Each structure stands twice: as structure tokens, then as C-alpha cells.
Amino acid sequence: MELALTQRCGCAEVERGSWVWACENLRALVLLKGGVCERVVPGVGPAVLRRWGPVGAESCREPWAAAYRAGRTPVSSSAGVSSVFGSGGSSKKEKLVLQDIAELIQAGACQRVVVMVGAGISTPSGIPDFRSPGTGFYSSFQHADVPYPEAIFELSFFLHNPKPFCTWAKEMYPGNYRPNIIHYFLRLLHDKGLLLRLYTQNIDGLERGSGIPGSKLVEAHGSFASATCTVCRGTSPVEDFWAAVMGDRVPCCAVCTGLVKPDVVFFGEALPQRFLLHVVDFPTADLLLILGTSLQVEPFASLSEAVRSSVPRVFMNKEAAGPLSWRPRSRDVLQLGDLVDSVGRLVELLGWSEELTDLIQRETGKLSGQDS
């Protein structure tokens, strides 16, 4: 079948070195390399095509682009590809909504999704966040044997008095909490081959518990999955750490009797080496999801600015926060309010509700079997 390819541009940031066409007959985006069809993204709805529009028309030297700049080529709802991912195009960009994000994912236009998450995704599992007044973890330490709540995550205080941290860690014992719908939505992104990487500030391990493999995770603030002696720097069995903590004892090294600390990143400590993957992941992402984080802790918070300006950013949180609130981009989508409701809305728009329900039932059954 001969395609009626109406517009093209070789200047697109979408696929460097590719021709990006919009096919009006098929309502599809067609990517060509070396004159050969590399990929067809079919079934693209009018809303998606409208927001793509002509790619790179401001700088492209193609005849059609010159005509467009001169006002001789109108932009219709089914023509072209525009600035959701492009590097040029019209300066009048329409505001994206969650429906547009769902259509982009359904159309196959977002295949390298990077996700940033914080404590807010674990509160539906019963784990308090850190900073909420009256209910956060820090509030619970207001009258404890600590000079200020954040001190329990400072290495100098831990070495001096590890008991407050160990008391808190006892609450985080694996199995006390289970993944929720948000974790399983991220697992479904992985199962569908869309998840490039998940960057988490959380140390509760619920991302792993949902079945997301370690290769897809960057646990930016470490985890309880391993432990290290603070004196001899030897690896200590994590089972020994938990045995001591659950027995209300201070964990000590079996080799040198030094204090053992889980490989959780305390304030002032270096982040794990895997955090450096952001140098590669964020520039190549085609969609950024930011869920349940106040974007206050650096350097994690600055990652939200690391994707290309043409890449949509979806921020789901109880309230606006961080750079997305005081320096928004035209392609940002802010979905504020209850996080479970927001994720559920996106799942519904994607048509994944039944798949997600099946996944949750299947994985919950596995966890119940482990408990019995």
C-alpha cells in the first residue's frame, strides 16, 4: 500500500537522523531511516497528532517547512507531528492533560519511561511519609531521645547513639508492609517493556517486592537489602542485622564487634554508584513520571530537570512541589490530590484496569503463600 505521506522533517529531535512523517490516511506517525521504513506508530488519535504538529518547522530547510513558515501550509488535526518531542515547531504549544499522556503511551510514542518516586507511593501501604505534620516519621521523633528528628539519619549521631534508628528500623522489617496499586502499576510498565528505569528515594523495598527486577531500579537512598560494618567495612549478613534489631539489640559485626549499619544512605553520605545511571537514562527518556515526592532532597530532586525540555513530565502528588511548581514547562502535566486516585485514573485511560487487577491478585496470592 502506498502511503500518503504529507509532511516530513529531518531535523526532528524525536529520532535523530530519521525522517518523521505524518500519514493523514492512516493517522499514523512513520519513521524512516535511509529511506527505509523503520517504525510505524498506528492508530494515533487526533489529539496526539494535533499536539505533535510539524516537527522542527522553525529551523528545517525542507520546502514544506518554508511554506509552513510563510503561512501556506495549514496545520490540521491529523497533520504532522509537533512539539511533544520535537525541538522546534510552533511556539504556541497546547497544554497537555493526562488523556494526552495516555494516548502517547497507547500510540507507542513513549517507550523509554523514567519514573521518580518518593515516600508518597508507600503511604497507601501504611508507611508514613517523613514530612507530613503530625503524621510523618519526623513528627513521631519530636519527643524522642534525639536533638532533632533528622538526626536519626545522620551518621555522626548514629555512631554515637544507634538506638533511635534501630527503633525506627524495627518498624520497617520486611513483611510488615506490602506493595500497593502504585507499585504494581510501575511493575506493569516494566512488564509491558516501557520502563527504562525507576529511581526511588524509598528504602522500604516495596518496589522490589512488587516484582520489579533490580536491573530496573536505582535505589538512590540505598536499602535494607544489605549491611556493612562501620569499622572494618566488611559486609555483614543482613539476617544478623535484623535479628539484632528485632531483638532490641544494637547490631554488631561478627568479625570486629563494630557497629553494623544497613546500606541506607544517611545525610552526608555518597549515593550508590548506580545513581550515576541518570547521566544516560534521563537524556534518552521520552516520558518522565514523578510520583509521591516533594522534590526537596538533593541531588535526587534535580533529576526532574534532567530530561529534555521536549519530554512530557507527569507530576502526581498530594500538592504541588519542587521545580514543577515554580518553574513549570509547557509539556508538564500536574495531577494533584490523592495519589491512588491519580494513578487509577491514568490506568483507566490506558485501558489497563483489568490487567492491573489480575497482576495484583496474582502477586498478592504469592505473598500470602509466603506468609503461610
Side-chain angles (χ1 to χ4, degrees), residues 198-203 218-222 265 270-272 275 300 303:
L198 168 58
Y199 286 73
T200 178
Q201 294 173 283
N202 300 334
I203 56 178
V218 172
E219 294 164 319
H221 296 165
V265 178
L271 299 187
F275 186 74
F300 187 90
L303 294 182

Side-chain angles (χ1 to χ4, degrees), residues 120 123-124 181-182 291-292 315-319 335-346:
T123 54
I181 185 175
I182 304 169
L291 312 178
F315 182 69
M316 295 184 178
N317 198 42
K318 186 165 55 176
E319 56 190 12
Q335 194 77 14
L336 305 181
D338 184 84
L339 189 56
V340 170
D341 290 344
S342 296
V343 170
R345 175 60 177 156
L346 178 56

Side-chain angles (χ1 to χ4, degrees), residues 277-293:
L277 285 172
H278 76 83
V279 176
V280 176
D281 290 343
F282 280 75
T284 60
D286 50 25
L287 176 64
L288 176 62
L289 302 180
I290 307 171
L291 312 178
T293 172

